[in-house]
Amino acid sequence: MAVAAGQAGGLRRAGGGGPGAPWGGGALLRGILLCVAASGSCWGNSVERKIYITLNKTAPCVRLLNATHQIGCQSSINGDTGVIHVVEKEQDLKWVLSDGPHPPYMVLLEGELFTRELLQQLKGTSRVSGLAVALSRPSPLPGFSPGLKCPNDGFGVYSNDYGPQYAHCNWTVWNPLGNGISYEDFDFPIFLLEDANETQIIKQCYRDHNLPQNGSIPEYPLCAMQLFSHMHAVTSTVTCMRRRTIQSTFSLNPEEFCDPLIDYNVWSTLKPINTSSKMHPSDEVIMVAARLDSHSFFWNLAPGAESTVSSFVTHLAVAEALHKVPDIQSLPRNIMFTFFQGETFDYIGSSRMVYDMENNIFPIRLDNIYAFLELSQVALRNNSVLWVHTDPISQKNESVQLRVKNLVAALTKSSLDANVTLQEVSQSQPLPPSSFQRFLRARNIPGVVLADHRTSFHNRYYQSVYDTPENILVDYPAGLSPEEALIYVTDTAKSLAEVATVVARALYQLAGGNGSTSAIQADPETVSRMLYGFLIRANNSWFQSIIKQDMKIIMVDNVPQHYIAVNSPVNTTQLVQSVLVNLTGTVVNFTKEECQNPEKMSSPEKELYEYFWAQGPRDPNSTSRIPFCVQSTVRLSKALSPAFELKQWGSTEYSTWTESRWKDIRARIFLVASRELEIITLVVGIAILIFSLLATYFINAKADVLFSSPPDPGATAY
C-alpha cells in the first residue's frame, strides 16, 4: 500500500453518492466503472501526484550485448521497489546486508563508495532490490574508471599471430584504474542521481521515516524507492538478432528486442576528390584520425573530455589551420581528416571504413594511404610533453620504418618553435588502443599515435561520468555570461592549439610542402569555442549559426554527450560535421533550392563537393536569421559494424555490440505501509467489493418493490 509521501494523515477519501447525488444504487457503480474505463481513473493523476515524487534527473544503467555476453542492468518487468537506506560509509552496509528488518532495500550510495568491491557484495544478496548512486562532487580524487584495464582487447592488431607478446595488454596495462564494472551484468537496477536537490529530497525522506532512532527499529510508513528499467534483450547479440529475424519473418508486427550500435563517421579531404569514382592508385593520402565517442556506466552520460573531446577538437583545429595555407591545394599529397564513431565499442567506425576500403565501397583505397597520424588523449600533458607511439612489428619492414622515421622527424621539427616537447616512446612498446590498429590489421601502413601518456593513461576518469571539463582543467572566471565564456581563451585551449599547430606544420611538410611553416598556426579562440560547445553548452550562438535549420532539435540539451547510441546521426556527429564544414568550407552564392539539391545543377563540381545550408547568425535588426550555403568536402560514411552487414552476429573479427530495447525508464519515491496493513487493506477492500456487488444485485432485483410508487389514496373504484 502506497502512502502519500510527506503526508502523515494519508489520503482523503473521494466523495460518493449521497442523498443529493444524481446517481443512485447500481447506476452509481456503473457510472464509476464507466469513468474508470474511459479515462484510466477519475482522480488518477492527482492521486498519483500525492502518492509519488518522481525523480526527473536520473540516468539508468542499461543492457548492452555482444557476441557472447550481456552487460549492464535491468529491473523486473514491473519495476523493483525497496525501502531506502542511505550508505555514506561502508559500515552502513551491515544494516542492508544483515541487520535491517525490512528487506529488500533500495540503497542510496555516495559516489565515492561506488566501487567494484561494494557492488560484488550487493550482487550476492536478495536483500537488495536496486541501487541509486549520488553523483560525487567534486570528482573522486583517487580516480574512477568503470572501463576495462585493457580497452578493446581482442579487436586491435595484437594477437597470437601478430605481436603475441603485446596481446591482451601483456606489455602495458593502459587503464590501470579500470575496474570493469561497465562490462559486468547486474540483475538489479542501478540509477545515477544527477541532481543534488533530488538527492537531498530522498535523504530527507530517509531521515524523516527510515533512520533508526536510539537503536530502535523504524516504524511504518517507511520511505521507499521504485526503479523501472526492464530490458527486452537477453543473453547475447546472437540470441537477440536471431529472435529479431524470426519475428521479422513470421510476424506482421514484429517485436524488436535490440538494435546495433550505429552512427556515421565524419571525413573530408584537403583537396576535393570525386566520390563517384575510385582514387587513382598512384595518388597518395595522409590520413589524420580521432575518435568521436565515449562511454560510461550510465546510459547516454559520456562527457569524454579527455578521452574524446580533447582529440577531436585538436583535430578540427588542425583542419582549419591547414585550409588557411595559400599553396595547400598544390601539394603533391592529399590529406584526409577522419573522425571515427563507435571506437569505444571495439572500433565500430574504423573497422567499417577499412571494410569499405577493402571492398571498393569507399572512394579511397588502403593502398592510397601514405601515412597515418592519430590524435589520442592529448589534454593532460606533463611538462608539455607529447608522446609519439609507433608499432614495433610493422617497422620490421624497412620501407614502413623509413616512412615512420620521416613522420616522426617532421613532428619533431615542427615542435622546435612551439611549447610542445615531442618524445618518442621505446620501439619495444606497442601501440595504445587506437583506430590505427584496425588499419594495421589490414595493411602494414606507416603511422603514429600522439598521446599525453608514455605508458598507462594519465586520465583517471577514462570512460566515466567524471571525465568532465574539470578533468582537463577547463575553467572559467565567475560571472561570465554565456557569450563571454564562449570566447574566453582558457589555458587548456592554448595548450591544445599548440598541439594542433605542431601537427598542422608536420602534415604540411609530409604532404610535400616546401614553404615556411611559421605562418601555420591553430587559432586558440576557435579551440576555446569548440571546447565550450562540446563540453559546457551546445546551445550557444556559434553552434546555432553554423548548423542546418533542421538540426535545431539537437540544441535542446545544454551539455552534449558523446555516446554512439542506436539512433543516427547523434548530436556529436552532426555538430562535428557542422563545425568542420564551417572551418574548412567556402561560402558560395547559391539559393536554398540549389544548395539543398546540387544534383539538379549542371556544374561539374557537384561530384567534388558537398553543399551545406547553414541557418546563419541572427539578423541584428530582426529575430530572423541570415542563412548561407557552404561548399566543402565534408562527408558522412556509415559507422555500422560489418558483422551486421554480413549477418555474422557471433563474429570475433568485428564489433557485435547491440543495445537492448526497453519500454519504460523512470524512478520515484513514496511512503510504503507495512505488509500486514497492506494485507488487511486488501482483504477489507475485497470484502467491501463483494458486499457492494451483492447489495447492488439485490437492490436491482427488488427495484420494482423498493422504488415502486404507492397507490393514489384519492382514487376509489366502484
Side-chain angles (χ1 to χ4, degrees):
M1 174 183 177
V3 182
Q7 293 189 19
L11 297 175
R12 295 189 301 273
R13 291 186 300 169
W23 292 338
L28 175 60
L29 180 60
R30 288 192 296 272
I32 293 175
L33 292 175
L34 179 64
C35 178
V36 171
S39 62
S41 173
C42 291
W43 309 279
N45 291 335
S46 61
V47 169
E48 183 175 0
R49 284 195 296 268
K50 290 179 180 179
I51 294 176
Y52 300 105
I53 296 178
T54 301
L55 305 175
N56 297 312
K57 291 288 289 181
T58 62
C61 161
V62 303
R63 176 168 290 169
L64 299 172
L65 309 98
N66 64 9
T68 56
H69 291 81
Q70 65 180 30
I71 64 172
C73 321
Q74 77 156 353
S75 72
S76 59
I77 193 167
N78 294 316
D80 288 322
T81 303
V83 174
I84 296 172
H85 189 74
V86 176
V87 175
E88 296 178 328
K89 53 186 183 299
E90 288 194 32
Q91 291 82 345
D92 295 337
L93 269 183
K94 188 179 179 184
W95 182 269
V96 173
L97 299 177
S98 59
D99 294 352
H102 305 121
Y105 284 96
M106 193 67 69
V107 177
L108 173 56
L109 189 68
E110 294 296 331
E112 297 85 354
L113 299 177
F114 187 53
T115 63
R116 179 186 180 85
E117 293 73 23
L118 187 141
L119 284 174
Q120 293 302 320
Q121 293 183 64
L122 300 182
K123 251 182 148 182
T125 177
S126 60
R127 291 175 58 88
V128 174
S129 59
L131 180 63
V133 182
L135 189 64
S136 180
R137 291 184 176 90
S139 302
L141 287 177
F144 174 75
S145 174
L148 299 171
K149 293 183 183 294
C150 189
N152 293 0
D153 185 25
F155 289 86
V157 68
Y158 302 112
S159 65
N160 293 333
D161 300 322
Y162 188 100
Q165 67 273 32
Y166 304 127
H168 313 300
C169 294
N170 288 333
W171 193 272
T172 304
V173 177
W174 296 106
N175 185 31
L177 291 177
N179 57 32
I181 60 173
S182 283
Y183 296 86
E184 290 199 17
D185 186 44
F186 297 91
D187 59 359
F188 54 83
I190 303 178
F191 278 55
L192 179 71
L193 303 175
E194 301 180 67
D195 191 322
N197 292 329
E198 288 188 345
T199 303
Q200 287 305 313
I201 290 173
I202 300 171
K203 289 183 176 180
Q204 188 60 49
C205 186
Y206 164 78
R207 286 190 289 266
D208 291 344
H209 299 278
N210 298 9
L211 187 64
Q213 299 292 339
N214 301 320
S216 63
I217 295 174
E219 297 180 357
Y220 286 99
L222 297 173
C223 191
M225 180 182 292
Q226 191 171 29
L227 301 178
F228 297 84
S229 62
H230 181 68
M231 300 287 123
H232 293 178
V234 295
T235 308
S236 67
T237 291
V238 176
T239 302
C240 175
M241 295 301 291
R242 184 174 65 242
R243 290 177 176 175
R244 175 176 171 167
T245 303
I246 293 172
Q247 285 271 345
S248 301
T249 304
F250 297 104
S251 175
L252 294 176
N253 297 302
E255 182 180 356
E256 301 287 352
F257 300 99
C258 67
D259 300 283
L261 298 181
I262 179 175
D263 201 61
Y264 290 92
N265 298 323
V266 182
W267 67 279
S268 73
T269 52
L270 200 59
K271 296 187 288 185
I273 62 172
N274 191 334
T275 55
S276 63
S277 61
K278 301 295 178 289
M279 181 175 280
H280 193 275
S282 63
D283 292 338
E284 294 178 328
V285 173
I286 301 168
M287 196 166 184
V288 191
R291 65 173 56 191
L292 285 180
D293 67 304
S294 186
H295 180 43
S296 80
F297 186 85
F298 301 100
W299 180 75
N300 203 31
L301 272 187
E306 160 71 342
S307 62
T308 302
V309 177
S310 69
S311 59
F312 74 66
V313 162
T314 305
H315 190 175
L316 289 165
V318 170
E320 181 193 34
L322 284 173
H323 270 271
K324 292 178 178 179
V325 178
D327 64 338
I328 202 70
Q329 295 296 323
S330 62
L331 298 183
R333 298 187 184 97
N334 207 340
I335 298 175
M336 178 179 175
F337 307 103
T338 317
F339 301 82
F340 292 119
Q341 185 62 272
E343 296 302 274
T344 301
F345 295 96
D346 300 334
Y347 305 118
I348 292 174
S350 55
S351 63
R352 179 53 187 260
M353 185 169 284
V354 170
Y355 174 83
D356 288 346
M357 287 180 171
E358 288 181 313
N359 290 277
N360 293 321
I361 301 172
F362 201 77
I364 298 172
R365 300 179 176 91
L366 287 171
D367 293 334
N368 294 122
I369 300 176
Y370 174 80
F372 196 106
L373 189 154
E374 181 168 354
L375 288 159
S376 185
Q377 304 177 85
V378 294
L380 297 177
R381 292 181 290 134
N382 286 337
N383 299 320
S384 300
V385 175
L386 189 66
W387 293 94
V388 183
H389 297 260
T390 58
D391 172 47
I393 305 299
S394 61
Q395 288 192 78
K396 293 178 181 179
N397 180 301
E398 290 185 4
S399 62
V400 171
Q401 185 182 48
L402 180 61
R403 286 194 187 177
V404 170
K405 286 184 176 179
N406 291 338
L407 182 51
V408 175
L411 287 164
T412 304
K413 180 181 177 182
S414 299
S415 68
L416 296 179
D417 297 328
N419 188 26
V420 177
T421 304
L422 214 73
Q423 293 190 21
E424 189 177 1
V425 301
S426 168
Q427 290 196 4
S428 62
Q429 181 174 298
L431 288 169
S434 52
S435 306
F436 179 39
Q437 292 199 31
R438 290 301 303 191
F439 285 81
L440 281 176
R441 282 176 75 123
R443 293 283 193 284
N444 273 349
I445 297 173
V448 301
V449 176
L450 300 181
D452 56 21
H453 55 89
R454 182 175 67 87
T455 53
S456 58
F457 298 159
H458 288 169
N459 187 1
R460 294 175 296 150
Y461 306 107
Y462 184 74
Q463 290 186 4
S464 91
V465 294
Y466 301 113
D467 191 6
T468 57
E470 292 78 16
N471 185 33
I472 59 172
L473 307 179
V474 173
D475 192 23
Y476 299 90
L480 290 185
S481 68
E483 287 303 309
E484 291 170 336
L486 176 65
I487 60 174
Y488 179 79
V489 180
T490 63
D491 290 340
T492 301
K494 295 175 184 176
S495 174
L496 294 181
E498 290 167 352
V499 174
T501 298
V502 170
V503 173
R505 291 174 178 177
L507 289 172
Y508 174 77
Q509 297 173 47
L510 290 167
N514 296 316
S516 172
T517 61
S518 59
I520 301 176
Q521 185 75 42
D523 184 4
E525 186 171 323
T526 300
V527 175
S528 293
R529 289 191 293 174
M530 289 190 287
L531 287 176
Y532 182 82
F534 287 112
L535 290 176
I536 308 296
R537 186 181 178 88
N539 192 9
N540 62 73
S541 59
W542 184 46
F543 276 9
Q544 286 282 7
S545 68
I546 64 176
I547 63 172
K548 293 181 179 179
Q549 288 179 321
D550 58 359
M551 288 166 57
K552 292 178 183 177
I553 190 171
I554 72 173
M555 308 303 287
V556 173
D557 294 326
N558 284 340
V559 180
Q561 303 297 330
H562 309 294
Y563 172 63
I564 179 174
V566 295
N567 298 314
S568 59
V570 297
N571 291 0
T572 302
T573 300
Q574 295 185 73
L575 289 173
V576 167
Q577 177 193 19
S578 302
V579 171
L580 187 58
V581 167
N582 181 263
L583 297 181
T584 64
T586 303
V587 176
V588 291
N589 189 23
F590 285 3
T591 65
K592 182 178 181 179
E593 177 68 21
E594 292 172 333
C595 192
Q596 294 181 334
N597 300 281
E599 66 278 359
K600 296 181 180 179
M601 296 188 300
S602 59
S603 170
E605 290 188 340
K606 66 182 181 181
E607 300 293 341
L608 302 178
Y609 295 100
E610 294 288 318
Y611 295 90
F612 191 97
W613 185 255
Q615 68 176 3
R618 289 195 181 277
D619 187 333
N621 299 319
S622 70
T623 58
S624 61
R625 292 185 174 273
I626 308 173
F628 56 91
C629 185
V630 184
Q631 173 185 274
S632 76
T633 61
V634 180
R635 295 177 171 90
L636 301 179
S637 66
K638 188 179 289 186
L640 171 67
S641 172
F644 297 100
E645 297 282 348
L646 302 170
K647 295 188 176 180
Q648 297 176 358
W649 304 316
S651 173
T652 57
E653 171 68 17
Y654 299 113
S655 170
T656 55
W657 285 105
T658 55
E659 181 185 272
S660 174
R661 289 202 174 188
W662 58 80
K663 182 178 180 181
D664 190 20
I665 286 183
R666 55 195 168 99
R668 59 190 185 181
I669 64 172
F670 55 96
L671 296 184
V672 64
S674 66
R675 179 66 61 182
E676 292 78 7
L677 181 57
E678 288 180 337
I679 294 173
I680 292 171
T681 304
L682 177 63
V683 171
V684 171
I686 293 173
I688 292 173
L689 175 63
I690 294 172
F691 174 79
S692 300
L693 293 173
L694 290 173
T696 303
Y697 171 77
F698 284 113
I699 290 172
N700 282 335
K702 301 295 182 178
D704 55 340
V705 177
L706 295 174
F707 302 110
S708 61
S709 300
D712 187 357
T716 305
Y718 293 96

